Amino acid sequence: QVQLVESGGGLVQPGGSLRLSCAASGTIRGINDMGWYRQAPGKQREFVADISKGENTNYAASAKGRFTISRDNAKNTIYLQMNSLKPEDTAVYYCNGIIYDGHSWDDLWGQGTQVTVSS
């Protein structure tokens, strides 16, 4: 069974930085697109950034210029470097991935990691 596990969240002051990681584990035969989404209290989950197998990237307008998504295919891991953080970036950040376990391609989610931006 394939799982996605996020890490790296925490409390940071406005203007600070955090680096999130998401590692895929289990029986993995292929990984396609992976990405980050976030959900703030009382709001719907929203797209933050994604990265293709060929490392093409897309960003939400709110993330462009401040966040950088990257991936290490050898480690089955993606990262989200977040700089110049703002209070409105406070949310639970979720990792998403399209992963092949040898039987089917599955659209998987991690459990989420809390990011709080506050002074």
Side-chain angles (χ1 to χ4, degrees):
Q1 182 177 356
V2 179
Q3 291 184 319
L4 299 177
V5 179
E6 301 101 333
S7 60
L11 173 65
V12 63
Q13 292 187 342
S17 299
L18 280 176
R19 188 192 194 209
L20 306 183
S21 300
C22 171
S25 62
T27 302
I28 298 170
R29 296 289 180 258
I31 300 179
N32 204 340
D33 295 351
M34 295 191 73
W36 291 96
Y37 292 72
R38 67 187 184 185
Q39 187 167 18
K43 295 187 177 181
Q44 290 188 330
R45 190 173 298 188
E46 64 177 9
F47 169 77
V48 177
D50 65 13
I51 184 166
S52 70
K53 185 177 180 179
E55 302 194 26
N56 294 313
T57 59
N58 294 293
Y59 294 92
S62 59
K64 201 169 293 185
R66 299 187 300 126
F67 296 0
T68 302
I69 189 170
S70 60
R71 67 191 287 167
D72 184 334
N73 290 327
K75 295 182 178 179
N76 295 328
T77 299
I78 64 168
Y79 306 94
L80 186 69
Q81 177 66 44
M82 303 187 294
N83 299 326
S84 302
L85 283 162
K86 305 174 182 179
E88 51 263 43
D89 294 317
T90 295
V92 177
Y93 283 70
Y94 296 92
C95 174
N96 172 256
I98 310 299
I99 299 176
Y100 183 63
D101 63 1
H103 300 283
S104 61
W105 286 94
D106 297 315
D107 188 349
L108 300 177
W109 293 88
Q111 83 288 351
T113 185
Q114 177 70 48
V115 171
T116 302
V117 185
S118 175
S119 55

